[in-house]
Amino acid sequence: MATRALVTGAGGFIGHHMVKYLVAAGYWVRGVDVKEPEYEPSAAQEFELLDLRRWDNCLMATRGVDEVYSFAADMGGIGYINEHHVDSARNNVLISTHMLEASRTNGVSRFFFSSSACVYPQYLQSSPDVKPLKEEDASPYDPDEGYGWEKLFTEKLCQYYYEDCGLETRVARFHNVYGPLGTYDGGKEKAPAAICRKVALATPGDEIEVWGDGLQTRSFMHVDDCTEGVFRLLHSEHHQPLNLGTDYLITINGLVDLVSAIAGKPVKRRHNMEGPQGVRGRNSDNSRLRTVLGWEPSILLKDGLDVTFHWIEEQLIKDGSITSSYSGTS
Ligand code: GKE
């Protein structure tokens, strides 16, 4: 009989891709979210609209499944999480707390929690040439306000459920996941999708707005590497938090140059120093990831961005924002 999995946040970006990954691997999947996937139907055999801040809904969602992949969260890029401390902290702590207890109550065998690089302390991320972050660098704690604190709290709760109740919890700290079928507008988008949208909408030679001076650095991971890494981690015996990201560091100005080259469209950068910046630098140290999983993310940023840019450009044509794909001849 097929292994039965619950994916929460299945109407969202990573959750939707995780459903596709598991169904392709032969799983029976229940997808749960407060909304259906935005850009294509879910691949899940069963999809339920449930608010997982409620205990009774978490009991319902976790009935009769072997594995839980917990992605449901009130979240977004730095522009969102900086402005919504209550929403991201309160909603996510309710979801995570009830989901862990419901999973234990319903005898789930393995539980994955999507944590975030936002748990890492600000004092280690104050310069663009940041030292790649190792898992043990998380303490002494000074995570991002709101979203970061909730992720840190739930990491601890996962540890307690493992130690006190024997629930096989697994935790990955995602480092800025991007890819097609993700949010690219409306305020919750992260930098890769935002820059793709701005370049796609720009007239050649136009200015596009970049938050901050663009010298701030990040590493970015394609969603297909994310789902592969989550699956491997859940089926490993590693139950401490593990980085899941790439260690290819790039400035945001460099990200703009990459997208501009993919589009074949020259753009100028207008730096909005009032824009939300988050940390000045963040990168993943993948030493433990390589040891624990015998694998690491391998999709190159330029390749992943190429697919992502053209998908976003296609959405903008569909909604009439642009008339056609830019051919690169000015
Ligand atoms: N979203 C966005 N939109 N970011 C921009 C833009 C823009 O138009 N222009 C420049 N940036 C810069 C931001 O100022 C920030 O310094 C950098 O890109 C990355 O922003 P982001 O992708 O929105 O989010 P962060 O990496 O700062 O933080 C995110 O990290 C994730 C885990 O790696 C969080 O918002 C969560 O989505 C998550 O924890």
mmCIF file of all heavy atoms in Angstrom, residues 75-79 81 116-118 144 147 174-177 189-192 194-195 197-198 209-212 216 218 220 252 275-279 282, ligand 1:
data_model
loop_
_atom_site.group_PDB
_atom_site.id
_atom_site.type_symbol
_atom_site.label_atom_id
_atom_site.label_comp_id
_atom_site.label_asym_id
_atom_site.label_seq_id
_atom_site.Cartn_x
_atom_site.Cartn_y
_atom_site.Cartn_z
ATOM 1 N N MET A 75 3.864 33.781 5.924
ATOM 2 C CA MET A 75 5.244 34.237 5.680
ATOM 3 C C MET A 75 5.367 34.961 4.349
ATOM 4 O O MET A 75 4.406 35.062 3.597
ATOM 5 C CB MET A 75 6.216 33.056 5.758
ATOM 6 C CG MET A 75 6.094 32.013 4.655
ATOM 7 S SD MET A 75 7.086 32.402 3.183
ATOM 8 C CE MET A 75 8.723 32.210 3.839
ATOM 9 N N GLY A 76 6.560 35.449 4.086
ATOM 10 C CA GLY A 76 6.845 36.131 2.813
ATOM 11 C C GLY A 76 8.272 36.618 2.828
ATOM 12 O O GLY A 76 9.060 36.264 3.711
ATOM 13 N N GLY A 77 8.605 37.464 1.870
ATOM 14 C CA GLY A 77 9.942 38.039 1.816
ATOM 15 C C GLY A 77 10.128 39.052 2.929
ATOM 16 O O GLY A 77 9.233 39.262 3.767
ATOM 17 N N ILE A 78 11.298 39.704 2.909
ATOM 18 C CA ILE A 78 11.641 40.613 4.012
ATOM 19 C C ILE A 78 10.660 41.773 4.107
ATOM 20 O O ILE A 78 10.389 42.267 5.197
ATOM 21 C CB ILE A 78 13.100 41.120 3.860
ATOM 22 C CG1 ILE A 78 13.603 41.702 5.180
ATOM 23 C CG2 ILE A 78 13.228 42.144 2.712
ATOM 24 C CD1 ILE A 78 13.733 40.686 6.296
ATOM 25 N N GLY A 79 10.081 42.151 2.975
ATOM 26 C CA GLY A 79 9.102 43.253 3.004
ATOM 27 C C GLY A 79 7.869 42.877 3.800
ATOM 28 O O GLY A 79 7.218 43.722 4.420
ATOM 29 N N ILE A 81 7.759 40.031 6.253
ATOM 30 C CA ILE A 81 7.970 39.581 7.644
ATOM 31 C C ILE A 81 8.416 40.744 8.542
ATOM 32 O O ILE A 81 8.163 40.749 9.728
ATOM 33 C CB ILE A 81 8.930 38.378 7.738
ATOM 34 C CG1 ILE A 81 10.350 38.721 7.348
ATOM 35 C CG2 ILE A 81 8.412 37.182 6.976
ATOM 36 C CD1 ILE A 81 11.318 37.622 7.775
ATOM 37 N N SER A 116 13.999 28.030 9.095
ATOM 38 C CA SER A 116 14.492 29.070 8.193
ATOM 39 C C SER A 116 15.832 29.623 8.644
ATOM 40 O O SER A 116 16.145 29.621 9.838
ATOM 41 C CB SER A 116 13.470 30.211 8.174
ATOM 42 O OG SER A 116 14.060 31.371 7.672
ATOM 43 N N ALA A 117 16.592 30.116 7.692
ATOM 44 C CA ALA A 117 17.862 30.799 7.998
ATOM 45 C C ALA A 117 17.605 32.043 8.832
ATOM 46 O O ALA A 117 18.524 32.627 9.401
ATOM 47 C CB ALA A 117 18.560 31.174 6.694
ATOM 48 N N CYS A 118 16.347 32.438 8.943
ATOM 49 C CA CYS A 118 15.997 33.606 9.767
ATOM 50 C C CYS A 118 16.221 33.364 11.258
ATOM 51 O O CYS A 118 16.091 34.291 12.052
ATOM 52 C CB CYS A 118 14.539 33.995 9.542
ATOM 53 S SG CYS A 118 14.352 35.012 8.090
ATOM 54 N N ASP A 144 15.675 36.867 13.490
ATOM 55 C CA ASP A 144 14.812 37.931 12.956
ATOM 56 C C ASP A 144 13.590 38.070 13.866
ATOM 57 O O ASP A 144 13.060 37.064 14.361
ATOM 58 C CB ASP A 144 14.323 37.554 11.548
ATOM 59 C CG ASP A 144 15.357 37.888 10.472
ATOM 60 O OD1 ASP A 144 16.444 38.389 10.835
ATOM 61 O OD2 ASP A 144 15.101 37.642 9.285
ATOM 62 N N TYR A 147 8.991 36.297 12.735
ATOM 63 C CA TYR A 147 9.125 35.040 11.976
ATOM 64 C C TYR A 147 10.293 34.195 12.485
ATOM 65 O O TYR A 147 10.170 32.994 12.695
ATOM 66 C CB TYR A 147 9.321 35.408 10.505
ATOM 67 C CG TYR A 147 9.335 34.260 9.549
ATOM 68 C CD1 TYR A 147 8.170 33.559 9.239
ATOM 69 C CD2 TYR A 147 10.521 33.869 8.937
ATOM 70 C CE1 TYR A 147 8.194 32.509 8.337
ATOM 71 C CE2 TYR A 147 10.553 32.820 8.043
ATOM 72 C CZ TYR A 147 9.384 32.143 7.741
ATOM 73 O OH TYR A 147 9.414 31.098 6.862
ATOM 74 N N PHE A 174 15.662 26.529 5.748
ATOM 75 C CA PHE A 174 15.691 26.902 4.333
ATOM 76 C C PHE A 174 16.433 28.223 4.154
ATOM 77 O O PHE A 174 16.228 29.170 4.913
ATOM 78 C CB PHE A 174 14.265 27.079 3.799
ATOM 79 C CG PHE A 174 13.457 25.817 3.718
ATOM 80 C CD1 PHE A 174 12.093 25.877 3.529
ATOM 81 C CD2 PHE A 174 14.053 24.571 3.831
ATOM 82 C CE1 PHE A 174 11.310 24.714 3.449
ATOM 83 C CE2 PHE A 174 13.292 23.401 3.758
ATOM 84 C CZ PHE A 174 11.922 23.482 3.566
ATOM 85 N N HIS A 175 17.236 28.291 3.083
ATOM 86 C CA HIS A 175 17.933 29.533 2.708
ATOM 87 C C HIS A 175 17.335 30.028 1.400
ATOM 88 O O HIS A 175 17.648 29.515 0.341
ATOM 89 C CB HIS A 175 19.439 29.277 2.540
ATOM 90 C CG HIS A 175 20.161 29.058 3.832
ATOM 91 N ND1 HIS A 175 21.020 29.989 4.366
ATOM 92 C CD2 HIS A 175 20.147 28.033 4.713
ATOM 93 C CE1 HIS A 175 21.518 29.544 5.520
ATOM 94 N NE2 HIS A 175 21.008 28.353 5.747
ATOM 95 N N ASN A 176 16.432 30.993 1.508
ATOM 96 C CA ASN A 176 15.815 31.693 0.393
ATOM 97 C C ASN A 176 15.520 30.832 -0.836
ATOM 98 O O ASN A 176 16.255 30.827 -1.817
ATOM 99 C CB ASN A 176 16.649 32.914 -0.019
ATOM 100 C CG ASN A 176 15.770 34.023 -0.555
ATOM 101 O OD1 ASN A 176 14.985 33.787 -1.473
ATOM 102 N ND2 ASN A 176 15.882 35.196 0.020
ATOM 103 N N VAL A 177 14.375 30.166 -0.793
ATOM 104 C CA VAL A 177 13.943 29.248 -1.856
ATOM 105 C C VAL A 177 13.212 30.024 -2.956
ATOM 106 O O VAL A 177 12.388 30.899 -2.663
ATOM 107 C CB VAL A 177 13.005 28.170 -1.277
ATOM 108 C CG1 VAL A 177 12.642 27.129 -2.344
ATOM 109 C CG2 VAL A 177 13.664 27.471 -0.089
ATOM 110 N N GLU A 189 6.471 38.508 -2.035
ATOM 111 C CA GLU A 189 7.522 37.900 -2.850
ATOM 112 C C GLU A 189 8.913 38.129 -2.264
ATOM 113 O O GLU A 189 9.151 39.131 -1.594
ATOM 114 C CB GLU A 189 7.455 38.443 -4.289
ATOM 115 C CG GLU A 189 7.803 39.913 -4.453
ATOM 116 C CD GLU A 189 6.638 40.836 -4.120
ATOM 117 O OE1 GLU A 189 5.568 40.355 -3.715
ATOM 118 O OE2 GLU A 189 6.832 42.057 -4.247
ATOM 119 N N LYS A 190 9.805 37.172 -2.528
ATOM 120 C CA LYS A 190 11.208 37.309 -2.122
ATOM 121 C C LYS A 190 12.005 37.895 -3.286
ATOM 122 O O LYS A 190 11.483 38.083 -4.392
ATOM 123 C CB LYS A 190 11.747 35.946 -1.674
ATOM 124 C CG LYS A 190 11.102 35.461 -0.376
ATOM 125 C CD LYS A 190 11.949 34.479 0.398
ATOM 126 C CE LYS A 190 11.899 33.107 -0.201
ATOM 127 N NZ LYS A 190 10.650 32.385 0.097
ATOM 128 N N ALA A 191 13.272 38.189 -3.043
ATOM 129 C CA ALA A 191 14.059 38.945 -4.016
ATOM 130 C C ALA A 191 14.127 38.321 -5.412
ATOM 131 O O ALA A 191 13.903 39.018 -6.409
ATOM 132 C CB ALA A 191 15.463 39.172 -3.469
ATOM 133 N N PRO A 192 14.410 37.022 -5.566
ATOM 134 C CA PRO A 192 14.537 36.491 -6.932
ATOM 135 C C PRO A 192 13.288 36.745 -7.772
ATOM 136 O O PRO A 192 13.380 37.254 -8.902
ATOM 137 C CB PRO A 192 14.764 34.987 -6.706
ATOM 138 C CG PRO A 192 15.376 34.915 -5.346
ATOM 139 C CD PRO A 192 14.706 35.981 -4.546
ATOM 140 N N ALA A 194 10.889 38.944 -7.200
ATOM 141 C CA ALA A 194 10.642 40.388 -7.314
ATOM 142 C C ALA A 194 11.494 40.985 -8.426
ATOM 143 O O ALA A 194 10.999 41.752 -9.267
ATOM 144 C CB ALA A 194 10.961 41.077 -5.985
ATOM 145 N N ILE A 195 12.767 40.604 -8.463
ATOM 146 C CA ILE A 195 13.670 41.153 -9.493
ATOM 147 C C ILE A 195 13.249 40.633 -10.878
ATOM 148 O O ILE A 195 13.222 41.390 -11.856
ATOM 149 C CB ILE A 195 15.135 40.806 -9.177
ATOM 150 C CG1 ILE A 195 15.559 41.381 -7.804
ATOM 151 C CG2 ILE A 195 16.066 41.254 -10.298
ATOM 152 C CD1 ILE A 195 15.447 42.879 -7.656
ATOM 153 N N ARG A 197 10.232 39.919 -11.800
ATOM 154 C CA ARG A 197 9.036 40.687 -12.203
ATOM 155 C C ARG A 197 9.429 42.079 -12.686
ATOM 156 O O ARG A 197 8.975 42.538 -13.740
ATOM 157 C CB ARG A 197 8.077 40.823 -11.006
ATOM 158 C CG ARG A 197 6.785 41.543 -11.332
ATOM 159 C CD ARG A 197 6.003 41.952 -10.074
ATOM 160 N NE ARG A 197 6.543 43.162 -9.441
ATOM 161 C CZ ARG A 197 7.058 43.179 -8.216
ATOM 162 N NH1 ARG A 197 7.127 42.055 -7.499
ATOM 163 N NH2 ARG A 197 7.547 44.310 -7.710
ATOM 164 N N LYS A 198 10.300 42.750 -11.941
ATOM 165 C CA LYS A 198 10.675 44.125 -12.291
ATOM 166 C C LYS A 198 11.397 44.194 -13.638
ATOM 167 O O LYS A 198 11.143 45.081 -14.446
ATOM 168 C CB LYS A 198 11.559 44.714 -11.174
ATOM 169 C CG LYS A 198 10.795 44.898 -9.852
ATOM 170 C CD LYS A 198 11.658 45.488 -8.755
ATOM 171 C CE LYS A 198 10.845 45.654 -7.479
ATOM 172 N NZ LYS A 198 11.622 46.276 -6.384
ATOM 173 N N GLU A 209 13.690 49.382 -9.379
ATOM 174 C CA GLU A 209 13.993 49.686 -7.988
ATOM 175 C C GLU A 209 14.591 48.483 -7.274
ATOM 176 O O GLU A 209 14.075 47.372 -7.370
ATOM 177 C CB GLU A 209 12.729 50.104 -7.228
ATOM 178 C CG GLU A 209 13.028 50.484 -5.777
ATOM 179 C CD GLU A 209 11.768 50.763 -4.976
ATOM 180 O OE1 GLU A 209 11.177 49.797 -4.428
ATOM 181 O OE2 GLU A 209 11.394 51.950 -4.900
ATOM 182 N N VAL A 210 15.694 48.739 -6.568
ATOM 183 C CA VAL A 210 16.346 47.709 -5.746
ATOM 184 C C VAL A 210 16.333 48.217 -4.315
ATOM 185 O O VAL A 210 16.710 49.373 -4.063
ATOM 186 C CB VAL A 210 17.795 47.479 -6.221
ATOM 187 C CG1 VAL A 210 18.548 46.540 -5.282
ATOM 188 C CG2 VAL A 210 17.804 46.928 -7.642
ATOM 189 N N TRP A 211 15.863 47.448 -3.369
ATOM 190 C CA TRP A 211 15.857 47.853 -1.967
ATOM 191 C C TRP A 211 17.273 47.813 -1.406
ATOM 192 O O TRP A 211 17.997 46.830 -1.588
ATOM 193 C CB TRP A 211 14.977 46.946 -1.130
ATOM 194 C CG TRP A 211 13.532 46.947 -1.532
ATOM 195 C CD1 TRP A 211 12.907 47.849 -2.365
ATOM 196 C CD2 TRP A 211 12.520 46.009 -1.144
ATOM 197 N NE1 TRP A 211 11.578 47.501 -2.524
ATOM 198 C CE2 TRP A 211 11.313 46.405 -1.765
ATOM 199 C CE3 TRP A 211 12.511 44.883 -0.317
ATOM 200 C CZ2 TRP A 211 10.131 45.683 -1.602
ATOM 201 C CZ3 TRP A 211 11.335 44.167 -0.147
ATOM 202 C CH2 TRP A 211 10.159 44.568 -0.784
ATOM 203 N N GLY A 212 17.682 48.891 -0.762
ATOM 204 C CA GLY A 212 19.024 48.961 -0.207
ATOM 205 C C GLY A 212 20.037 49.313 -1.299
ATOM 206 O O GLY A 212 19.682 49.658 -2.423
ATOM 207 N N GLN A 216 24.114 44.032 -0.457
ATOM 208 C CA GLN A 216 23.801 42.956 0.497
ATOM 209 C C GLN A 216 23.802 41.608 -0.237
ATOM 210 O O GLN A 216 23.496 41.556 -1.424
ATOM 211 C CB GLN A 216 22.485 43.224 1.214
ATOM 212 C CG GLN A 216 21.209 43.191 0.401
ATOM 213 C CD GLN A 216 20.798 44.545 -0.139
ATOM 214 O OE1 GLN A 216 21.624 45.303 -0.631
ATOM 215 N NE2 GLN A 216 19.507 44.827 -0.098
ATOM 216 N N ARG A 218 23.169 37.225 -0.479
ATOM 217 C CA ARG A 218 22.357 36.068 -0.111
ATOM 218 C C ARG A 218 22.834 34.866 -0.917
ATOM 219 O O ARG A 218 23.536 35.002 -1.914
ATOM 220 C CB ARG A 218 20.880 36.289 -0.464
ATOM 221 C CG ARG A 218 20.160 37.361 0.321
ATOM 222 C CD ARG A 218 19.949 36.966 1.765
ATOM 223 N NE ARG A 218 19.110 37.927 2.465
ATOM 224 C CZ ARG A 218 19.544 39.082 2.964
ATOM 225 N NH1 ARG A 218 20.831 39.406 2.846
ATOM 226 N NH2 ARG A 218 18.718 39.879 3.625
ATOM 227 N N PHE A 220 20.762 31.492 -2.753
ATOM 228 C CA PHE A 220 19.389 31.157 -3.158
ATOM 229 C C PHE A 220 19.318 29.698 -3.583
ATOM 230 O O PHE A 220 20.226 29.197 -4.261
ATOM 231 C CB PHE A 220 18.952 32.066 -4.322
ATOM 232 C CG PHE A 220 18.947 33.534 -3.967
ATOM 233 C CD1 PHE A 220 19.974 34.377 -4.379
ATOM 234 C CD2 PHE A 220 17.921 34.070 -3.197
ATOM 235 C CE1 PHE A 220 19.974 35.735 -4.044
ATOM 236 C CE2 PHE A 220 17.909 35.427 -2.855
ATOM 237 C CZ PHE A 220 18.939 36.256 -3.269
ATOM 238 N N ILE A 252 22.789 41.401 -4.293
ATOM 239 C CA ILE A 252 21.503 41.638 -4.955
ATOM 240 C C ILE A 252 21.723 42.356 -6.289
ATOM 241 O O ILE A 252 21.029 42.103 -7.275
ATOM 242 C CB ILE A 252 20.548 42.402 -4.018
ATOM 243 C CG1 ILE A 252 20.306 41.579 -2.748
ATOM 244 C CG2 ILE A 252 19.222 42.711 -4.711
ATOM 245 C CD1 ILE A 252 19.785 40.169 -2.958
ATOM 246 N N GLY A 275 14.125 51.021 1.452
ATOM 247 C CA GLY A 275 13.529 49.686 1.279
ATOM 248 C C GLY A 275 13.986 48.733 2.376
ATOM 249 O O GLY A 275 15.112 48.862 2.884
ATOM 250 N N PRO A 276 13.140 47.751 2.753
ATOM 251 C CA PRO A 276 13.511 46.783 3.794
ATOM 252 C C PRO A 276 14.679 45.920 3.338
ATOM 253 O O PRO A 276 14.682 45.416 2.227
ATOM 254 C CB PRO A 276 12.255 45.938 3.981
ATOM 255 C CG PRO A 276 11.425 46.165 2.777
ATOM 256 C CD PRO A 276 11.809 47.481 2.197
ATOM 257 N N GLN A 277 15.724 45.783 4.160
ATOM 258 C CA GLN A 277 16.924 45.066 3.734
ATOM 259 C C GLN A 277 17.146 43.734 4.455
ATOM 260 O O GLN A 277 17.818 42.846 3.942
ATOM 261 C CB GLN A 277 18.163 45.942 3.966
ATOM 262 C CG GLN A 277 18.328 47.041 2.948
ATOM 263 C CD GLN A 277 19.738 47.612 2.994
ATOM 264 O OE1 GLN A 277 20.716 46.874 2.943
ATOM 265 N NE2 GLN A 277 19.828 48.923 3.100
ATOM 266 N N GLY A 278 16.639 43.619 5.661
ATOM 267 C CA GLY A 278 16.985 42.393 6.405
ATOM 268 C C GLY A 278 18.466 42.415 6.720
ATOM 269 O O GLY A 278 19.083 43.477 6.864
ATOM 270 N N VAL A 279 19.102 41.254 6.765
ATOM 271 C CA VAL A 279 20.522 41.183 7.128
ATOM 272 C C VAL A 279 21.397 41.606 5.949
ATOM 273 O O VAL A 279 20.936 41.603 4.796
ATOM 274 C CB VAL A 279 20.906 39.745 7.589
ATOM 275 C CG1 VAL A 279 20.221 39.405 8.902
ATOM 276 C CG2 VAL A 279 20.608 38.721 6.509
ATOM 277 N N ARG A 282 24.040 36.725 4.171
ATOM 278 C CA ARG A 282 23.608 35.414 4.710
ATOM 279 C C ARG A 282 24.029 34.331 3.722
ATOM 280 O O ARG A 282 23.740 34.437 2.537
ATOM 281 C CB ARG A 282 22.102 35.394 4.903
ATOM 282 C CG ARG A 282 21.530 34.051 5.341
ATOM 283 C CD ARG A 282 20.047 34.137 5.518
ATOM 284 N NE ARG A 282 19.703 34.874 6.743
ATOM 285 C CZ ARG A 282 18.527 35.483 6.913
ATOM 286 N NH1 ARG A 282 17.623 35.488 5.947
ATOM 287 N NH2 ARG A 282 18.272 36.121 8.058
HETATM 288 N N1 GKE B 1 11.721 40.923 -1.595
HETATM 289 C C1 GKE B 1 12.514 41.851 -2.203
HETATM 290 N N2 GKE B 1 11.994 42.637 -3.197
HETATM 291 N N3 GKE B 1 13.821 41.977 -1.761
HETATM 292 C C2 GKE B 1 14.568 42.892 -2.381
HETATM 293 C C3 GKE B 1 14.087 43.712 -3.445
HETATM 294 C C4 GKE B 1 12.739 43.567 -3.849
HETATM 295 O O1 GKE B 1 12.239 44.252 -4.769
HETATM 296 N N4 GKE B 1 15.118 44.527 -3.862
HETATM 297 C C5 GKE B 1 16.181 44.205 -3.095
HETATM 298 N N5 GKE B 1 15.850 43.236 -2.201
HETATM 299 C C6 GKE B 1 16.769 42.716 -1.178
HETATM 300 C C7 GKE B 1 16.201 42.868 0.236
HETATM 301 O O2 GKE B 1 16.379 44.208 0.669
HETATM 302 C C8 GKE B 1 17.053 41.864 0.990
HETATM 303 O O3 GKE B 1 18.238 42.474 1.421
HETATM 304 C C9 GKE B 1 17.375 40.783 -0.061
HETATM 305 O O4 GKE B 1 16.968 41.309 -1.328
HETATM 306 C C10 GKE B 1 16.605 39.485 0.167
HETATM 307 O O5 GKE B 1 15.271 39.819 0.435
HETATM 308 P P1 GKE B 1 14.148 38.663 0.518
HETATM 309 O O6 GKE B 1 14.433 37.624 -0.493
HETATM 310 O O7 GKE B 1 12.811 39.342 0.484
HETATM 311 O O8 GKE B 1 14.274 38.042 1.990
HETATM 312 P P2 GKE B 1 15.499 37.745 2.967
HETATM 313 O O9 GKE B 1 16.443 36.804 2.321
HETATM 314 O O10 GKE B 1 16.037 39.018 3.528
HETATM 315 O O11 GKE B 1 14.696 37.031 4.145
HETATM 316 C C11 GKE B 1 13.923 35.887 3.870
HETATM 317 O O12 GKE B 1 14.757 34.780 4.184
HETATM 318 C C12 GKE B 1 14.081 33.521 4.032
HETATM 319 C C13 GKE B 1 15.049 32.422 4.456
HETATM 320 O O13 GKE B 1 16.246 32.578 3.730
HETATM 321 C C14 GKE B 1 12.681 35.929 4.745
HETATM 322 O O14 GKE B 1 11.881 37.011 4.299
HETATM 323 C C15 GKE B 1 11.921 34.634 4.660
HETATM 324 O O15 GKE B 1 11.292 34.526 3.404
HETATM 325 C C16 GKE B 1 12.812 33.438 4.863
HETATM 326 O O16 GKE B 1 13.171 33.377 6.213
#
